[in-house]
Amino acid sequence: MVKSSMNRMLAGNGLFYPIIGFASFIAFLYLSFGDLWVNYSKEINLSFVERNGTQFFVDGKVFYINGWNSYWLMDHAADYNTRPRIRTMLQAGAKMGLTVCRTWAFNDAGYNALQISPGKFDEKVFRALDHVIAEARRNGIRLLLSLVNNLQAYGGKTQYVKWAWDEGVALSSSNDSFFYDPSIRRYFKSYVKTVLTRRNIYTGIEYRDDPTIFAWELINEPRCMTDPSGDTLQDWIEEMSTFVKSIDRKHLLTVGLEGFYGPKSPKKTTANPEIWAADLGSDFVRNSILSTVDFASVHVYPDHWFHHKNFDEMLKFAAKWMLSHIEDGDKELKKPVLFTEFGLSNDNDDFEPAQRDRFLKMVLDVLYKSAKRNKSGAGSFFWQFLVEKMERFNDEYGVVPWESPSTYRLITEQSCRLAKVQGLHSTQTENVKNFCASRRN
C-alpha cells in the first residue's frame, strides 16, 4: 500500500520515469563495472611457493597441499548471475583448511571464450579470471592454473588445430599436430605470454608477479597417440616449459600428466593399469625430469582405466599406483609429486556412497604417511567440488562438500593431520585452527 502511494506521488510530479531511468543506469554500471568497487585490499598476504628437493616451502616452512579442483571458476565468474559461486566455493575451501585450488585458465572459442581466435581475447572473460585470482587471494587460497586442454572440452588442442586449418596454415588435421605444427606452437606461445603478463584490473599485479598463483600447468592430460615413442610430446614439453620460464621465473611449473609410463620405462608392465597406457605418447619420468619442470603431476582414476575389476581390486591398484610415483619422485626425479586429480564415479554399476569415502581415505592416508616420512608425495586435489544448483556441470565425480558430511570430515581431518606435520600456515582460517586445536585436546 505504501509502495503504491509513493509510485502515484512520483508519477504525479513527473519524477517516476526519470528515477526509474537513473536506477536502470546505476544497475547497468554495476553489472558492467561493479567489481571495480569491490574492496580487494583485505586479502591475506601470500608468499611465493618454492621447491627444495622433493618438498614445497613457503616462507622457509614445508608446505603440503590438501587441495581440490573446481575447473569452472572463470566460466562462472564471467556471468554475474553465477559469479557469487566463486566466493562461496573459495570460502568453503578455506574453511576446510584447503590451500590450493586447481582450475582452468583457458577457454578457447565457444561460450564465454577467453581466447576467441588466435591472439584475440574477450576482455570480459579476462576480467572474470582477474576476479577469480583476486577472490582467491582474498580468501588465502592459491591457484594451480592450467593453460590448455588435451581434451575437446573448452576448446583444447582440437580448437588450435581447427584455427590453423581454417586459416590455411595447418600441416595436418590431426589433433596431435598441436604438438608439432609451427603455426600452432606460435598460437600457443602467444596465448601463454598474454596470460602470464596480464595485469589484474582488481589487484594491479601481473599474473607472473602474483603469489596467489601457486603454479602453472602446461596442459591437462597430454597424450600424443600418433607418436607412441613419446618424442613429439617430449619436444613440445621442452620447448613450452623453457618458454614459460623465460617469461616467469617466480612460479613453479608442471606438465599436467596423468602419470602413465612410456614404452621404454621399466615400469610400463608392472605399474601401468593396462598395456594400452604405454602407447599414449607420454612417459611420467621422462616428461617430468626436465630441469624446467618443477614438480610432477599424476591422476588417479582406477574406475576409468579398468572395466573388469571390482572396487577392492581398483582400490588396491590405486594405492600401488600412488606409491610407485612417490618412489619415482624420491629416487628418479628428486622432485615433489602432486596427485592433481583423483575421484570415483557414481555411475559405476556397483557404486555405493561409502566407496567414495573409502577411496578418498586411501588417497589421503598415502599422502599423510608420505609427509610424515619426508617423502615426495606433496599433496592431492579432489576432483571435483561444486556448489548448489550445478548439476549441469557435474561429470559424475562432483561433490558439494557441505552436503556430504562424511566427505567433509575426511577432507578437514586431512588438513589437521598435515598441520601436525608442517604446522598451520598463516593463510588457513581461524575456524580451522580452532577446529584442529579442539581435536588435539
Side-chain angles (χ1 to χ4, degrees), residues 153-167:
Y154 291 82
K157 68 180 185 181
T158 301
Q159 183 58 55
Y160 278 87
V161 174
K162 183 178 186 301
W163 280 331
W165 191 259
D166 290 346
E167 292 184 7

Side-chain angles (χ1 to χ4, degrees), residues 352-366:
E352 298 175 3
Q355 291 177 345
R356 180 173 278 162
D357 284 343
R358 284 183 61 195
F359 178 65
L360 172 61
K361 186 176 186 305
M362 181 279 295
V363 171
L364 299 181
D365 283 348
V366 168

Side-chain angles (χ1 to χ4, degrees), residues 141-437:
I141 298 292
R142 292 179 171 87
L143 299 172
L144 172 54
L145 296 179
S146 188
L147 294 168
V148 70
N149 207 351
N150 188 77
L151 309 173
Q152 290 189 28
Y154 291 82
K157 68 180 185 181
T158 301
Q159 183 58 55
Y160 278 87
V161 174
K162 183 178 186 301
W163 280 331
W165 191 259
D166 290 346
E167 292 184 7
V169 297
L171 294 179
S172 168
S173 60
S174 166
N175 286 348
D176 284 348
S177 66
F178 172 85
F179 296 115
Y180 60 79
D181 189 310
S183 296
I184 297 173
R185 287 191 180 201
R186 285 195 296 271
Y187 290 167
F188 185 63
K189 283 183 176 180
S190 175
Y191 177 79
V192 168
K193 184 176 181 179
T194 301
V195 171
L196 269 57
T197 58
R198 165 75 176 185
R199 186 176 297 277
N200 191 312
I201 66 165
Y202 305 122
T203 66
I205 304 171
E206 286 191 6
Y207 288 7
R208 61 181 170 180
D209 296 325
D210 193 340
T212 310
I213 298 168
F214 159 68
W216 302 107
E217 179 182 274
L218 284 178
I219 180 171
N220 175 52
E221 299 186 341
R223 297 182 180 186
C224 186
M225 297 174 68
T226 55
D227 181 10
S229 75
D231 292 343
T232 299
L233 180 58
Q234 183 72 3
D235 288 345
W236 184 87
I237 294 170
E238 288 182 9
E239 181 175 343
M240 296 307 165
S241 60
T242 300
F243 181 73
V244 169
K245 289 294 186 180
S246 73
I247 300 171
D248 180 359
R249 302 292 299 182
K250 296 180 179 179
H251 285 105
L252 302 174
L253 178 70
T254 193
V255 178
L257 299 168
E258 296 165 275
F260 300 123
Y261 296 97
K264 296 179 182 178
S265 171
K267 289 187 174 183
K268 70 176 184 179
T269 56
T270 60
N272 273 341
E274 291 179 347
I275 191 170
W276 52 262
D279 296 324
L280 301 177
S282 64
D283 182 271
F284 174 70
V285 173
R286 183 187 183 194
N287 299 154
S288 303
I289 205 166
L290 296 170
S291 62
T292 46
V293 175
D294 296 297
F295 64 92
S297 55
V298 186
H299 293 181
V300 191
Y301 289 114
D303 59 343
H304 184 64
W305 299 335
F306 297 106
H307 300 288
H308 304 290
K309 289 184 181 291
N310 61 38
F311 173 74
D312 287 329
E313 290 171 330
M314 290 190 292
L315 196 66
K316 183 177 179 180
F317 169 83
K320 178 184 174 183
W321 174 255
M322 294 182 67
L323 292 171
S324 173
H325 289 83
I326 292 172
E327 177 185 60
D328 294 331
D330 289 324
K331 296 181 179 180
E332 300 288 335
L333 303 174
K334 296 178 174 37
K335 299 178 182 181
V337 177
L338 280 182
F339 296 87
T340 51
E341 288 188 25
F342 72 96
L344 191 73
S345 171
N346 59 17
D347 273 359
N348 297 329
D349 291 338
D350 62 345
F351 177 79
E352 298 175 3
Q355 291 177 345
R356 180 173 278 162
D357 284 343
R358 284 183 61 195
F359 178 65
L360 172 61
K361 186 176 186 305
M362 181 279 295
V363 171
L364 299 181
D365 283 348
V366 168
L367 289 164
Y368 173 56
K369 291 174 183 177
S370 176
K372 283 203 304 181
R373 297 167 183 166
N374 292 319
K375 299 296 185 180
S376 66
S380 63
F381 295 71
F382 186 89
W383 183 278
Q384 60 163 324
F385 284 164
L386 308 166
V387 299
E388 296 92 340
K389 300 180 180 179
M390 287 189 65
E391 291 78 9
R392 186 165 65 89
F393 296 86
N394 192 350
D395 56 359
E396 80 258 5
Y397 289 89
V399 172
V400 178
W402 49 90
E403 291 182 354
S404 178
S406 57
T407 301
Y408 188 95
R409 183 177 65 253
L410 284 169
I411 293 170
T412 308
E413 286 177 349
Q414 180 75 348
S415 297
C416 295
R417 292 201 295 177
L418 293 179
K420 291 181 180 179
V421 178
Q422 67 185 10
L424 277 165
H425 282 267
S426 60
T427 59
Q428 291 175 300
T429 57
E430 283 299 323
N431 53 347
V432 172
K433 293 179 182 179
N434 294 335
F435 174 79
C436 294

